[in-house]
Amino acid sequence: MTSAADTAPAAPKAKRDRTHYLYIAVIIAVAAGIGVGLAAPDFAVGLKPIGTGFVALIKMMISPIIFCTIVLGIGSVRKAAKVGAVGGIALGYFTVMSLVALGIGLVVGNILEPGTGLAVTDAVKDAGHAQIDAEAKDTTEFLLGIIPTTIVSAFTNESVLQTLLIALLAGFALQGMGSAGQPILRGIEHIQRLVFRILAMVMWAAPIGAFGAIAAVTGSAGLDALKSLAVLMLGFYVTCFLFVFIVLGILLRVVSGLNVLTLFKYLGREFLLILSTSSSESALPRLIAKMEHLGVSKPVVGITVPTGYSFNLDGTMIYMTMASLFIADALGTPMSIGEQIPLLLFLLVASKGAAGVTGAGLATLAGGLQSHKPALVDGIGLIVGIDRFMSEARALTNFAGNAVATVLIGTWTKEIDKDRVNQVLAGQLPFDEKTLLDDAPVGPAEDHVEVPEKGGEKELAKA
């Protein structure tokens, strides 16, 4: 009789398997979108609101998911110093990797010199100046902008860092309340389950959103833009590939002993989602859920992932480096190394201030050049046509960098269950696509405050 009972969990696995059809549909939708974009460009451009709407549906879930994840993670940890250590290590790592990404882009950009020989017309100059985003902020405004007007406004301003600040304050407050805060933690846990269930429902609209997004991008750019700027695009994609699979791959192997290909296979659906929407934010909620399922503790995931989405923009760093060199060459004013390094360090800081601006890559580049080297703004119009295609590589690289960072920081802080990681990556503990959540607390048991469980949930979680 026990063997029959043991086979009972087979039913949920069958339900999870049905989600494979969803991502097969996404692949078909992407192919169809490209076809429509090439065959009927004007019609395809009109489909843009479909993709925009789908991304907006996912983005509306980001703030509540980040809030619940961080509050539950910090509120259940006894040692407040551990949270501060995670944040310090994360910021230090993000700074170093941003500099590495800039350096790689600098080397490849100087070798390729892709902008040489291009003509810059008045129309191109006008298009470049139009990209300067008035919403881009300097560093001081960015730091002050982390503080929301009210606690509630942090959830409505589309600012990840504002939500992060409120969640940190709430988590530490609940941590200090001890047993009196446990009912609140239980309530937030139920809210988290509700939010993830809504996210799982929204994901069924992914094929429609992917079709609209890809069709609009293909229709607006077309083959002519791709052909004329193929060298820059190819060089950028190759640079991102080398950064992800060599730099991040070696780091992951040396520090955590994991194969980067195995980790990316586990995150395959998220990469497909980003590829179809050109937005790494579309996969942020799922990255949080999957990293927790992988075996990284809630505090590490809750702090590293949201912070990384504003500070760990590896793909954006490479993009700004190569685009700056490309524009300088195209204008016939190539920069010396002495000119390149100050500009890129300035763009490194500027990217933090514009991380939350829609179309941050192009807007940040335009704003940075306008402030530091205005003469180069005229050439930004050259890359407007292919920016959305390059944003694919930016988003994929940013996402890969944040996924690897979460595992690395979990390893450095000893907040990762390595046995569980091996089981998950081997396919022995499949991710629950229906709820996107696990019942079991992740991380060293001694670091967590006991929270009363209903019935046999605790025994089931331990199992």
Side-chain angles (χ1 to χ4, degrees):
M1 298 301 292
T2 56
S3 60
D6 292 339
T7 58
K13 290 185 179 180
K15 290 182 179 179
R16 285 196 295 269
D17 288 341
R18 290 188 304 190
T19 62
H20 290 301
Y21 296 111
L22 169 63
Y23 292 91
I24 292 174
V26 170
I27 295 174
I28 295 173
V30 168
I34 293 174
V36 171
L38 295 176
D42 294 336
F43 172 75
V45 171
L47 298 175
K48 183 178 180 180
I50 298 177
T52 303
F54 172 70
V55 174
L57 280 173
I58 295 182
K59 289 177 70 173
M60 77 177 183
M61 312 301 299
I62 290 177
S63 288
I65 287 174
I66 289 175
F67 179 80
C68 293
T69 301
I70 295 177
V71 171
L72 289 173
I74 296 176
S76 60
V77 173
R78 287 176 179 163
K79 301 174 182 178
K82 180 174 292 185
V83 177
V86 171
I89 293 173
L91 289 175
Y93 171 80
F94 294 158
T95 301
V96 171
M97 293 312 295
S98 293
L99 291 173
V100 171
L102 283 175
I104 292 177
L106 194 68
V107 172
V108 176
N110 279 289
I111 293 175
L112 291 180
E113 297 183 348
T116 304
L118 287 179
V120 181
T121 64
D122 290 338
V124 167
K125 293 179 181 180
D126 292 340
H129 284 279
Q131 300 306 314
I132 300 176
D133 197 324
E135 296 181 12
K137 303 173 182 178
D138 60 28
T139 305
T140 302
E141 292 175 329
F142 167 66
L143 293 174
L144 291 176
I146 296 175
I147 305 172
T149 305
T150 67
I151 289 179
V152 177
S153 67
F155 298 94
T156 60
N157 286 344
E158 298 185 6
S159 172
V160 171
L161 291 181
Q162 287 187 1
T163 306
L164 179 64
L165 175 63
I166 296 300
L168 287 171
L169 293 174
F172 284 123
L174 286 169
Q175 187 184 74
M177 292 171 65
S179 58
Q182 290 181 6
I184 302 176
L185 285 173
R186 174 62 65 187
I188 293 176
E189 182 181 352
H190 288 307
I191 294 174
Q192 184 190 47
R193 291 178 181 277
L194 171 64
V195 172
F196 272 117
R197 181 58 65 95
I198 294 173
L199 177 64
M201 293 165 58
V202 169
M203 288 306 301
W204 285 99
I208 300 174
F211 172 76
I214 289 295
V217 170
T218 307
S220 62
L223 291 178
D224 292 338
L226 303 184
K227 291 176 181 177
S228 62
L229 299 171
V231 175
L232 175 61
M233 282 186 59
L234 180 61
F236 178 59
Y237 270 77
V238 169
T239 305
C240 289
F241 181 87
L242 294 175
F243 176 80
V244 170
F245 289 98
I246 295 181
V247 177
L248 296 183
I250 292 175
L251 260 178
L252 188 65
R253 169 65 73 180
V254 171
V255 175
S256 302
L258 299 178
N259 188 317
V260 71
L261 293 175
T262 306
L263 177 63
F264 290 167
K265 180 182 178 182
Y266 170 64
L267 298 171
R269 294 184 175 187
E270 288 65 45
F271 280 113
L272 176 60
L273 181 62
I274 293 170
L275 187 64
S276 61
T277 61
S278 299
S279 171
S280 58
E281 284 190 336
S282 63
L284 188 154
R286 288 181 58 89
L287 178 61
I288 289 175
K290 278 205 161 181
M291 287 293 101
E292 288 185 5
H293 175 73
L294 182 65
V296 185
S297 71
K298 282 181 179 291
V300 171
V301 174
I303 293 172
T304 304
V305 174
T307 307
Y309 265 70
S310 290
F311 288 94
N312 193 35
L313 306 173
D314 299 328
T316 304
M317 294 296 103
I318 296 173
Y319 166 81
M320 290 195 298
T321 305
M322 297 189 66
S324 298
L325 298 179
F326 169 82
I327 291 170
D329 290 341
L331 293 174
T333 57
M335 294 184 289
S336 65
I337 295 296
E339 293 176 306
Q340 293 173 18
I341 293 178
L343 171 62
L344 296 175
L345 290 178
F346 176 83
L347 289 173
L348 172 64
V349 176
S351 68
K352 314 308 180 191
V357 178
T358 302
L362 197 57
T364 302
L365 179 64
L369 293 180
Q370 173 68 20
S371 301
H372 196 78
K373 204 171 180 63
L376 296 183
V377 175
D378 290 345
I380 291 178
L382 288 168
I383 60 175
V384 171
I386 62 165
D387 179 70
R388 284 301 301 271
F389 285 98
M390 295 178 73
S391 73
E392 306 278 359
R394 279 203 309 265
L396 291 170
T397 305
N398 290 341
F399 178 83
N402 287 318
V404 171
T406 306
V407 176
L408 294 178
I409 293 169
T411 303
W412 285 324
T413 58
K414 299 181 180 179
E415 285 288 304
I416 187 170
D417 186 338
K418 293 186 178 180
D419 291 334
R420 182 181 177 88
V421 170
N422 293 330
Q423 288 180 316
V424 170
L425 295 183
Q428 298 172 5
L429 294 175
F431 180 70
D432 188 346
E433 292 284 350
K434 185 175 181 181
T435 64
L436 309 184
L437 284 172
D438 295 308
D439 290 328
V442 178
E446 65 272 13
D447 292 331
H448 293 273
V449 177
E450 287 293 331
V451 178
E453 299 282 350
K454 292 182 180 179
E457 283 185 20
K458 182 177 289 187
E459 288 75 18
L460 183 63
K462 289 181 179 178

